[in-house]
Amino acid sequence: MALLRVENVTKRFGGLEALKDVSFSLHDGQVKALIGPNGAGKTTLFNLISGIDRPTSGHVFFRDEDLGRLAPHMASRLGVGRTFQHSKVFDDMSVLDNVKVGRYGRSHAGVFSAFLTLPRHRREEKAISEASLRALRRVGLGDRAHESAGNLPVGDRHLLEIARSLASEPTVLLLDEPAAGLNNEETAQLAEIVRRVRDDGVTILLVEHDMGFVMDISDEVVVLDYGKKIAEGPPLMIRNDEEVIKAYLGEDL
Ligand SMILES: Nc1ncnc2c1ncn2[C@@H]1O[C@H](COP(=O)(O)OP(=O)(O)O)[C@@H](O)[C@H]1O
Ligand SMILES: [Mg+2]
């Protein structure tokens, strides 16, 4: 069974149809890419899948749960993690604290009561630190945990954000333009880490403009254009698809 099903999803913002009757599935253990020109609706779709917004019509199912019927925080509780298109790294906090910030969403004590020194909270604090360190090690940043995040080069900032999502142990990870602004070496390193995370059992849906990266890493690709799905299939098929090439005319595919 599919882990995630997007079924006939339409999303309107006033008169604008950002998504038009989009359907596709994400299977356990897949890396799937969502591509399309700017404004195609990729981030909008991510917002629906991560539960922070709802479809105007249609459904997003995570296993048997209709995410559009649940409170926004439930998607992450159920195991949908994400990174954002625009970096949310706090420069004057340590690398480790940047990861811990994400982890509190899942803890019982919560951010505020965690400041209390009750034994239960101290235990939880310790568990959060450990989960956060594990997540940093998974992306190769374990050694830099106690440095200021402001010191990290852009490639490592992206990895830090991935670690932050991993700390809450997601089943599905949504990555919004993880390779944006990275040089070739950083992109290759990112591909390696995404593969490793996938091999650890995390299913991945990523939005990305770097076609080399997409073709290299994806099992399947979904193409959006003006809110419509115009193609879906393995990378080689997508690369040779007439409609896809037309949508990207003038762009580098
Ligand atoms: N909150 C919003 N309110 C109004 N329009 C929006 C909103 N979010 C996105 N849009 C519009 O929806 C379309 C798709 O945007 P987006 O999903 O960000 O595209 P992509 O991520 O593929 O570049 C764009 O035309 C954008 O201007
Ligand atoms: Mg976007």
Side-chain angles (χ1 to χ4, degrees):
M1 198 185 82
L3 194 54
L4 193 93
R5 278 178 297 137
V6 172
E7 281 186 9
N8 307 105
V9 163
T10 293
K11 179 68 183 177
R12 281 189 208 98
F13 296 110
L16 180 104
E17 244 178 7
L19 294 170
K20 299 169 192 164
D21 199 25
V22 174
S23 300
F24 67 89
S25 307
L26 187 63
H27 294 275
D28 212 347
Q30 259 191 331
V31 175
K32 196 150 187 164
L34 187 60
I35 69 170
N38 273 326
K42 304 179 297 294
T43 297
T44 300
L45 189 52
F46 262 28
N47 290 342
L48 304 182
I49 298 173
S50 58
I52 65 179
D53 205 353
R54 283 154 201 264
T56 306
S57 63
H59 304 274
V60 179
F61 288 101
F62 178 70
R63 297 207 167 101
D64 287 329
E65 303 280 354
D66 184 343
L67 296 180
R69 290 174 180 275
L70 302 176
H73 68 276
M74 283 306 292
S76 101
R77 194 71 67 84
L78 289 170
V80 183
R82 79 176 284 185
T83 64
F84 289 86
Q85 183 171 359
H86 301 289
S87 172
K88 300 237 157 77
V89 170
F90 303 105
D91 280 348
D92 35 7
M93 282 166 55
S94 73
V95 170
L96 180 62
D97 284 343
N98 263 280
V99 176
K100 285 166 74 175
V101 162
R103 192 63 179 75
Y104 283 112
R106 259 222 150 155
S107 91
H108 198 267
V111 168
F112 298 105
S113 53
F115 286 112
L116 302 175
T117 51
L118 299 172
R120 188 176 120 214
H121 292 125
R122 255 183 279 142
R123 271 199 305 279
E124 205 161 89
E125 166 78 24
K126 188 152 173 274
I128 289 171
S129 289
E130 283 166 0
S132 300
L133 251 179
R134 269 199 308 277
L136 280 171
R137 288 197 200 104
R138 283 170 85 177
V139 304
L141 285 177
D143 293 343
R144 308 196 69 172
H146 300 290
E147 277 182 48
S148 164
N151 290 341
L152 296 182
V154 59
D156 287 346
R157 295 169 77 86
H158 290 211
L159 297 179
L160 168 53
E161 290 185 82
I162 292 174
R164 183 191 284 148
S165 319
L166 287 176
S168 47
E169 285 146 32
T171 312
V172 177
L173 185 55
L174 312 178
L175 303 174
D176 202 347
E177 303 201 20
L182 304 194
N183 63 33
N184 288 342
E185 195 186 321
E186 290 168 329
T187 304
Q189 189 194 6
L190 175 70
E192 201 45 54
I193 282 160
V194 171
R195 260 189 222 105
R196 200 191 304 160
V197 167
R198 192 266 322 268
D199 292 344
D200 282 351
V202 181
T203 302
I204 293 168
L205 181 65
L206 59 94
V207 163
E208 188 47 65
H209 284 295
D210 182 331
M211 285 308 143
F213 180 80
V214 166
M215 297 298 160
D216 175 32
I217 201 161
S218 314
D219 301 308
E220 275 189 292
V221 182
V222 169
V223 189
L224 290 181
D225 189 30
Y226 292 108
K228 274 174 66 179
K229 183 176 94 173
I230 59 168
E232 178 175 12
L236 263 179
M237 190 185 115
I238 294 300
R239 183 183 256 156
N240 298 311
D241 186 288
E242 288 279 321
E243 219 178 327
V244 175
I245 293 167
K246 228 187 290 160
Y248 274 97
L249 213 62
E251 289 190 46
D252 195 17
L253 185 66

